[in-house]
Amino acid sequence: MAAEEEAVLELKWEGKVIAKLNKATPQAVWLLLEDFCSFHKWLPTIDTCYKVVDDDEEGLVRYCAATTPADAGGGGGGGVVKWCHEKLLDIDPVGMRLSYEVLDNNMGLKSYRSTIKVVPAGVINGGDEGCQIEWSFFADPIDGLSYDDMVNYLDVSLQGMALNMEKALMDSSLMEKNSS
């Protein structure tokens, strides 16, 4: 590998965060995750997520956005909309994983690729119940943000997403039992 390539690799961030779901089946969690344009339903930090392109040339691209509160001292009310366009790179229903990259954004991301994967509990610890979601990323450093801040943000986001998914699945299974 050339020295220039090694220098570039040293500047990349790579990490993974994990959330455990104790009662949800991997198949049920995957059914929620595989809908690439519905992350706003699960990810507490996202206000909206929808398809902007889906064709043979560009593939599937989604728009995700969140409104962050305005500075308390600003007095202007309202918030700042942080957004990104993300392209689905690969989806594997059998392996229960999807990969995507950020194409454009106003959050300071220069290069960001991510894979989200559902792993059955039996693969992890030999147990029958539950699963875990693994969210791995490979990115350029972000100005004004440390690597630890990025990992913490993703971890908090994923823990919230897992909680929302497990709650929705529990509520729907309770509803199914009550309607029987």
Side-chain angles (χ1 to χ4, degrees):
M1 185 180 305
E4 290 173 1
E5 288 180 43
E6 287 181 22
V8 169
L9 286 177
E10 288 176 17
L11 296 177
K12 296 283 188 184
W13 287 349
E14 186 171 4
K16 177 168 61 173
V17 295
I18 296 171
K20 295 182 180 179
L21 293 91
N22 296 318
K23 298 188 184 337
T25 67
Q27 295 78 11
V29 171
W30 175 248
L31 286 174
L32 301 178
L33 269 178
E34 74 176 339
D35 183 357
F36 186 63
C37 298
S38 72
F39 270 34
H40 64 291
K41 293 178 182 177
W42 317 118
L43 200 57
T45 54
I46 301 294
D47 298 328
T48 188
C49 178
Y50 58 84
K51 175 175 51 179
V52 290
V53 177
D54 189 5
D55 62 33
D56 291 337
E57 188 175 315
E58 294 184 55
L60 178 57
V61 177
R62 70 182 176 194
Y63 169 84
C64 295
T67 304
T68 59
D71 291 338
V80 176
V81 176
K82 299 288 189 175
W83 60 269
C84 62
H85 288 116
E86 299 172 337
K87 179 179 181 177
L88 182 64
L89 299 174
D90 182 54
I91 188 162
D92 177 3
V94 174
M96 292 187 283
R97 76 175 166 267
L98 62 84
S99 298
Y100 67 93
E101 71 178 337
V102 172
L103 299 177
D104 192 20
N105 69 93
N106 70 345
M107 299 180 295
L109 296 168
K110 296 177 192 115
S111 171
Y112 178 88
R113 286 183 176 231
S114 183
T115 298
I116 299 177
K117 180 178 182 178
V118 180
V119 181
V123 173
I124 305 160
N125 60 17
D128 291 338
E129 287 192 25
C131 62
Q132 70 183 30
I133 303 171
E134 299 177 355
W135 186 343
S136 59
F137 70 94
F138 189 73
D140 286 337
I142 302 167
D143 291 339
L145 196 67
S146 72
Y147 172 82
D148 289 341
D149 289 341
M150 176 70 162
V151 171
N152 185 55
Y153 170 78
L154 291 176
D155 187 47
V156 168
S157 297
L158 181 59
Q159 300 309 318
M161 183 165 77
L163 187 68
N164 288 342
M165 288 180 160
E166 199 155 49
K167 182 180 181 322
L169 291 168
M170 296 278 291
D171 289 350
S172 68
S173 68
L174 287 174
M175 289 172 45
E176 288 172 13
K177 288 177 185 174
N178 289 337
S179 63
S180 312

